[in-house]
Amino acid sequence: MFNLQDEPWMPVRPAAGAQRDSPPDGGANAVGLRRLILDAQEFQDLVVDLPTQKPAIFRQLLLPVVVDALGCPRNSTAWTEMFKAGRFSPEQRKILTAYLDDHHQLFDLFDPVAPFAQVAGLRTAKDETKGSALLVATAATGNNVPLFSSRTEGDPLELTPAQAARWLLHTHCWDTAAIKTGVVGDPRVKSGKTTGNPVGPLGQLGVTLLRGRTVYETLLLNIPFGQASLSDDRPQWRRRETQGDIGVTLSCATSAWQSRAARGLLDLWTWQSRRIRLIAEETPSGLRVSRVVVAAGDRLTTTPHDTEPHTAWVTERLTPRGRKNAKSTGTSSVHPRRHRPGRAAWRGLEAFLAVGSRTEELHATTKRSGFQSSQLLRQLAEVWKGMPPAYPLQVELTGIAYGNQSAVIEDIFFDEMPLPLTALDPDGIVYGTLLEATDQAEKLATAVNHLSGDLRRAGGSEPIPWDKGQRPGDTLLHALDPMVRRLLTGLRKVGEDFDLSERGLEAWEQKAGKETWKVAEHIFSTAAPGLFTGRTVTKDGKETVYRLSTAEADFRERLDAILTRRAAARKDR
């Protein structure tokens, strides 16, 4: 027996001022699901083994428990009232307690009949099992061997029940694609395996999770309001029928699976993309999971734009073949916007702030893709005025980059950024300030890349290709990163004060200019003596002279055109 409601399996960090069970060193304590939900205001955040575990735990467990028990808030007013309360009301706690009591047996990780998020008795025709490392994204197994891994596939990995529970939920959300073990009872097994398995549903998104000051606020920030519940939209623990047609029951308790669309929010959040069985055994250290069975599970036919709340979107305007007018009777294609590893979160700020259809229409043309922010940020744009003006909202971005036909994990992306609530108003001062600052950062990177390219041409070589090697613009963006984040944090207190916003931009431009010159001076310091005389390049019949003096003059001109406030202040001195 290991019931997720009662056993302390989820490490949490206590909220500021919370005294109950707080560790003396300010670290993390582990709690069970019941305590975590009912006393969510007492905890600041989850403490996870890997950043990608957090959205998996929220989507597979915490959010669906709350929504299945209480439903989504009816409208923005109801959502705001819940948020201002700061905790579940006595009536809501009573409903949640009754829900947890009624479904208590369904949360047992090793129940012999209905193990949580698993299939009881799942086995292959030869009763083969694999090591538990198959569940752990950072462990070496099969073709998935992380660089500098201290383990090999031959080394047994014993997971505690708490660890196994967290990685079980992670696997349902992020598992790699390709061939999976064939199991008894799966009618689609061929030669002992199934093929064509896609990655887990979160692996197809650029996951955007909103984080508040407490777990309670984080729950509210990630629950859409105004969504009516559907009769056949149920979390996976209420779809455990072992008899009948799975097309009708939507059961995930058997080895059979299907390709279908999600029935609604609860179905989508708790999507069982794999059929799994944890094999527990007693060891001298206690109950451990060292062997598992992982097989094919349900496949999403599409990512529902009107239901999926945790990703931004890319919109593409499609027009009938042969028509060049973007305003013709074309249609729009919408698909999830995935994160780019190595690219800071604020560099995609334009997409996060695309909270209105007007923004989407403005940017989506036949030649350029447009953006639409996540459903959660769009709804926050409706209610932020009812929240504290300087509310410390954090936006957490997670994603996985897969390689070799999505069968291995190449990279894990995680970043978080502070986001002023006033930035969600497209007509507000902060919105324009942020977009201007981030646009300036990108243009400064382009300017130093141009400087590097001009000097390399003057020396007889070609500029560094954009997709090979590290260009000086990348170095500059890395140096500007902490400045942009400080600006984002500082703008929380600006509100609609234009003078404060301008002073913030002036300070940003001064610091950005200094960092840009540091990178530029390093480029100049590597200039060879021959760059003073330069070199003439003929292209398309046009001669261009590249030399050190003209490259520096062009760079100064670009810098002044980008940082206009800095240039004006220098002229006034």
Side-chain angles (χ1 to χ4, degrees):
M1 289 286 292
F2 189 89
N3 197 292
L4 300 184
Q5 288 198 29
D6 311 317
E7 299 290 343
W9 66 280
M10 186 65 251
V12 290
R13 187 177 297 111
Q19 299 298 324
R20 181 181 172 188
D21 299 335
S22 295
D25 60 353
N29 266 342
V31 297
L33 173 64
R34 181 181 294 263
R35 171 85 197 284
L36 182 57
I37 292 288
L38 296 179
D39 298 323
Q41 77 282 354
E42 295 187 7
F43 307 110
Q44 183 186 78
D45 198 11
L46 308 185
V47 179
V48 292
D49 306 303
L50 199 67
T52 44
Q53 273 189 358
K54 186 188 292 187
I57 292 169
F58 268 100
R59 286 173 60 104
Q60 285 279 335
L61 191 57
L62 304 185
L63 290 168
V65 165
V66 174
V67 171
D68 199 31
L70 302 179
C72 292
R74 296 187 309 276
N75 49 40
S76 59
T77 302
W79 186 95
T80 303
E81 289 175 354
M82 284 188 67
F83 188 85
K84 288 182 176 179
R87 63 181 64 204
F88 291 115
S89 68
E91 181 62 27
Q92 289 171 333
R93 284 176 59 91
K94 183 178 179 180
I95 296 172
L96 285 166
T97 299
Y99 180 90
L100 293 171
D101 289 342
D102 291 343
H103 300 89
H104 185 270
Q105 76 283 1
L106 299 178
F107 290 87
D108 189 343
L109 197 63
F110 303 122
D111 187 271
V113 178
F116 181 80
Q118 301 164 71
V119 175
L122 188 71
R123 66 181 187 87
T124 67
K126 297 180 180 180
D127 287 324
E128 300 163 313
T129 62
K130 292 189 176 181
S132 58
L134 193 62
L135 303 179
V136 182
T138 56
T141 177
N143 294 327
N144 192 36
V145 182
L147 193 62
F148 307 123
S149 174
S150 60
R151 296 182 60 264
T152 68
E153 189 176 12
D155 298 322
L157 177 62
E158 293 186 347
L159 300 177
T160 66
Q163 292 172 325
R166 298 194 294 271
W167 287 115
L168 169 68
L169 301 180
H170 187 275
T171 302
H172 279 300
C173 292
W174 298 102
D175 193 32
T176 55
I179 297 171
K180 299 298 172 186
T181 301
V183 291
V184 175
D186 181 356
R188 308 192 195 192
V189 170
K190 292 182 179 179
S191 303
K193 59 187 178 182
T194 59
T195 58
N197 300 282
V199 299
L202 294 193
Q204 304 170 41
L205 311 179
V207 178
T208 305
L209 188 78
L210 307 186
R211 178 163 62 84
R213 296 169 295 192
T214 65
V215 171
Y216 175 84
E217 290 183 351
T218 300
L219 287 170
L220 262 290
L221 288 168
N222 288 278
I223 294 177
F225 56 73
Q227 288 203 7
S229 59
L230 304 175
S231 59
D232 61 347
D233 181 27
R234 295 170 292 164
Q236 57 86 6
W237 54 84
R238 294 209 292 124
R239 291 186 280 108
R240 308 296 300 177
E241 295 85 352
T242 56
Q243 303 295 326
D245 182 3
I246 62 170
V248 178
T249 64
L250 307 182
S251 175
C252 53
T254 69
S255 54
W257 53 271
Q258 57 184 325
S259 297
R260 62 177 178 86
R263 291 296 196 269
L265 192 61
L266 296 173
D267 188 20
L268 181 65
W269 275 344
T270 62
W271 192 262
Q272 302 290 278
S273 66
R274 299 292 181 261
R275 298 292 187 258
I276 301 174
R277 180 166 70 98
L278 304 178
I279 302 172
E281 57 184 358
E282 286 290 347
T283 71
S285 302
L287 195 64
R288 294 293 184 267
V289 174
S290 57
R291 308 297 296 177
V292 297
V293 179
V294 179
D298 296 327
R299 302 179 184 181
L300 268 175
T301 54
T302 183
T303 301
H305 174 250
D306 57 344
T307 306
E308 175 54 66
H310 284 117
T311 187
W313 303 87
V314 175
T315 59
E316 296 177 349
R317 186 67 57 81
L318 306 176
T319 57
R321 182 177 297 180
R323 295 191 181 185
K324 298 181 180 180
N325 186 358
K327 295 184 179 180
S328 62
T329 58
T331 59
S332 292
S333 169
V334 182
H335 57 88
R337 183 178 186 269
R338 299 187 65 182
H339 306 311
R340 289 172 55 183
R343 184 182 175 95
W346 56 264
R347 295 184 64 190
L349 202 58
E350 183 182 22
F352 295 114
L353 300 184
V355 294
S357 58
R358 183 186 66 177
T359 313
E360 175 189 346
E361 293 296 326
L362 177 65
H363 294 298
T365 68
T366 51
K367 295 183 178 180
R368 177 183 175 184
S369 298
F371 305 115
Q372 189 178 81
S373 190
S374 72
Q375 179 184 354
L376 297 171
L377 280 173
R378 296 200 306 273
Q379 82 169 19
L380 198 57
E382 299 180 34
V383 299
W384 68 267
K385 292 183 179 179
M387 300 168 66
Y391 183 77
L393 175 69
Q394 292 288 123
V395 180
E396 294 188 352
L397 312 179
T398 48
I400 288 182
Y402 301 91
N404 191 16
Q405 298 181 331
S406 297
V408 297
I409 293 175
E410 282 194 345
D411 200 2
I412 291 177
F413 176 90
F414 174 75
D415 196 5
E416 62 177 324
M417 64 176 178
L419 185 65
L421 293 179
T422 48
L424 298 173
D425 179 8
D427 298 319
I429 293 171
V430 174
Y431 176 89
T433 299
L434 288 182
L435 291 187
E436 181 178 359
T438 53
D439 183 58
Q440 286 175 327
E442 297 288 351
K443 288 179 177 177
L444 289 173
T446 301
V448 295
N449 284 336
H450 277 306
L451 172 64
S452 172
D454 288 347
L455 293 181
R456 288 175 66 87
R457 290 189 183 96
S461 59
E462 291 297 318
I464 301 173
W466 70 269
D467 58 343
K468 295 179 180 179
Q470 181 173 336
R471 299 193 296 173
D474 300 326
T475 304
L476 176 60
L477 287 170
H478 179 73
L480 294 177
D481 181 79
M483 299 179 190
V484 176
R485 295 178 191 275
R486 283 198 296 271
L487 179 65
L488 285 165
T489 303
L491 286 174
R492 287 172 174 167
K493 303 176 181 179
V494 168
E496 292 301 305
D497 191 321
F498 178 77
D499 292 335
L500 276 178
S501 174
E502 277 296 299
R503 285 203 292 271
L505 278 177
E506 289 170 4
W508 147 256
E509 289 194 9
Q510 291 295 338
K511 294 177 180 178
K514 289 180 181 179
E515 290 298 328
T516 304
W517 267 110
K518 286 181 182 179
V519 175
E521 286 168 356
H522 178 72
I523 297 173
F524 285 129
S525 68
T526 60
L531 301 188
F532 289 91
T533 56
R535 175 171 168 263
T536 301
V537 176
T538 303
K539 184 176 181 180
D540 298 330
K542 181 180 178 181
E543 289 188 350
T544 304
V545 178
Y546 292 97
R547 61 169 65 94
L548 180 62
S549 59
T550 55
E552 181 177 353
D554 289 345
F555 174 70
R556 289 181 180 273
E557 184 177 341
R558 291 191 188 102
L559 200 60
D560 287 346
I562 297 168
L563 303 178
T564 55
R565 295 172 184 81
R566 177 180 177 275
R570 191 178 67 252
K571 291 177 181 178
D572 291 340
R573 287 199 295 266

